[in-house]
Structure formats: structure tokens, C-alpha cells
């Protein structure tokens, strides 16, 4: 199922309150999983610049961006060095199932001049719970290439959404570029979480369990 949005992305494994259901990764449900967007906020995801889609086999969902860009140097504004996005999702799962996020793959493009630095970071949490610690992936110039960063939780540490409840799933992401010792008067360093051809997206991989 597909929903258009102005979105961001994020991730590792889920924290909930009370007594969450723990289990080993099981087969994905065959019924449709639907993701609805409740709210979107942030300088990295202006309205209409992102989309979310669930994989046909329910093993993952993707977020694709078209305007998630942080930069410093020629042509950049002071506020451009940091861009962020908070995405609040309703994940509607088939009856009798619960989910966790087993891993997340972040992708984009980076051009960093010598001396410049950048980082991608993400966290998430269920409605009513404390946010997880940010996971940070640093990058250092010189660099001019596609980038990818993966956050992974081992099966033993997965925490699943409470069975029989629907809670907003909140995803926070951030891109940041630092000038460092680079020549910002004559060069530009930037990092994106998008692609010009639309083939690059952030992927969140589900882990599924039957509710007891």
C-alpha cells in the first residue's frame, strides 16, 4: 500500500512500556500492511517531497525523498548545514500479528571537500514512550560518491509493539554537514538522503511475530 507524504526516516529496534512481547523473527503476514502518515515536520522534508510504500511481501517499507539536502559553502544559507525530519506513522498490521524494526538502510549522495565532515543520525519511538538513543554515522572528506549506512538489531534484542494496540511510530532523522578546514569561500560540501533518479530510498525491515 502507498501513501504520499512529506517525510523523513530513521531506526534500529523498538522500545515500548509495560510488558512488551518478545519473540524470535517469524514469517510475515500475507494480508496487506497499511501505513498512514499522521504528521510530518522538518526542514528536510517539505510538503510533497517524500513517499512511503510497503513491500509486496510485507518484509519492509521504504521512504523516498526528493529534497533532503544539507550543505555548507558557496550558495548555502547558514541554516542549510543541518536538515531534519520527524515522521509520525500509523502502522496497521493484520490481526494476530505484532512487529518490530529489525534493521534500517539509509542511502543518499555525498560530496565533501577535503577537511569537511558530515553525519547522518536517526532514532525512533512509539507514542507515549521515551525516544531511543540516536544512532550516528559519520563521514569525512574528501568524498564524492553514493553513501549507505545500516542500523541493525540482533534478534535477541528486538522489542515488539504491544499486541492488540495501535500506537504512533515516530521516526526522527538528521543530516548535518560541517565546513571543518574546507574552503567554503570557493567550494560547496553537501549530503543528501535522496537521489535525482528516484531509485534510492530508506528501507526499514520488519520483524514479525504472532501474538500469544
Amino acid at each position: 500500500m502507498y501513501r504520499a507524504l512529506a517525510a523523513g526516516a530513521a531506526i534500529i529496534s523498538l522500545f515500548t512500556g509495560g510488558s512488551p512481547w518478545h519473540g524470535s523473527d517469524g514469517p510475515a503476514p500475507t494480508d496487506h500492511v497499511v501505513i498512514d502518515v499522521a504528521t510530518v515536520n522538518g526542514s528536510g522534508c517539505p510538503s510533497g517531497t517524500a513517499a512511503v510504500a510497503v513491500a509486496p511481501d510485507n518484509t519492509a517499507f521504504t521512504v523516498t525523498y526528493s529534497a533532503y539536502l544539507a550543505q555548507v559553502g558557496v550558495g548555502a544559507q547558514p541554516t542549510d548545514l543541518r536538515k531534519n525530519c520527524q515522521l509520525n506513522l500509523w502502522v496497521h498490521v493484520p490481526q494476530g500479528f505484532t512487529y518490530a524494526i529489525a534493521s534500517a538502510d539509509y542511502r543518499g549522495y555525498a560530496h565533501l571537500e577535503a577537511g569537511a565532515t558530515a553525519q547522518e543520525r536517526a532514532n525512533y519511538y512509539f507514542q507515549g514512550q521515551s525516544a531511543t538513543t540516536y544512532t550516528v554515522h559519520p563521514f569525512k572528506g574528501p568524498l564524492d560518491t553514493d553513501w549507505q549506512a545500516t542500523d541493525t538489531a540482533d534478534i535477541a534484542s528486538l522489542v515488539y509493539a504491544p499486541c492488540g494496540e495501535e500506537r504512533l511510530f515516530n521516526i526522527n532523522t538528521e543530516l548535518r554537514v560541517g565546513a571543518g578546514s574546507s574552503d567554503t569561500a570557493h567550494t560547496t560540501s553537501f549530503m543528501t538522503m535522496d537521489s535525482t533518479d528516484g531509485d534510492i530510498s530508506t528501507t526499514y525491515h520488519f520483524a514479525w511475530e504472532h501474538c500469544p
Side-chain angles (χ1 to χ4, degrees):
M1 304 295 288
Y2 174 87
R3 295 289 186 273
L5 59 134
I11 232 38
I12 314 187
S13 81
L14 303 179
F15 288 81
T16 62
S19 300
W21 166 245
H22 293 254
S24 60
D25 188 15
T30 56
D31 292 339
H32 286 305
V33 175
V34 178
I35 298 179
D36 290 316
V37 180
T39 59
V40 176
N41 294 287
S43 56
C45 49
S47 179
T49 64
V52 61
V54 179
D57 61 1
N58 292 335
T59 60
F61 69 93
T62 60
V63 182
T64 305
Y65 308 91
S66 61
Y68 208 149
L69 167 69
Q71 60 181 341
V72 294
V74 178
Q77 300 299 314
T79 56
D80 288 343
L81 61 85
R82 175 186 177 274
K83 294 298 176 75
N84 74 296
C85 189
Q86 177 167 316
L87 175 63
N88 308 117
L89 302 176
W90 290 112
V91 181
H92 306 287
V93 303
Q95 186 174 2
F97 282 88
T98 184
Y99 74 96
I101 299 298
S103 64
D105 301 319
Y106 301 97
R107 299 179 178 89
Y109 191 86
H111 174 86
L112 302 177
E113 295 290 327
T117 61
Q119 68 175 26
E120 176 271 330
R121 70 175 197 162
N123 80 335
Y124 66 90
Y125 56 97
F126 280 119
Q127 180 184 14
Q129 305 302 321
S130 299
T132 60
T133 302
Y134 272 95
T135 301
V136 180
H137 296 279
F139 299 84
K140 186 179 298 184
L143 188 67
D144 189 25
T145 188
D146 293 330
W147 64 269
Q148 178 173 336
T150 298
D151 296 336
T152 304
D154 61 53
I155 295 299
S157 68
L158 290 176
V159 181
Y160 289 76
C163 281
E165 296 183 24
E166 280 199 353
R167 297 187 185 181
L168 277 172
F169 180 45
N170 305 298
I171 297 174
N172 298 295
T173 55
E174 177 185 296
L175 293 180
R176 186 186 294 265
V177 178
S181 60
S182 64
D183 181 7
T184 55
H186 300 95
T187 65
T188 303
S189 294
F190 65 88
M191 186 176 189
T192 73
M193 202 186 299
D194 62 8
S195 68
T196 55
D197 59 8
D199 289 338
I200 296 177
S201 60
T202 298
T203 303
Y204 300 89
H205 301 275
F206 286 120
W208 292 102
E209 271 296 330
H210 285 283
C211 289

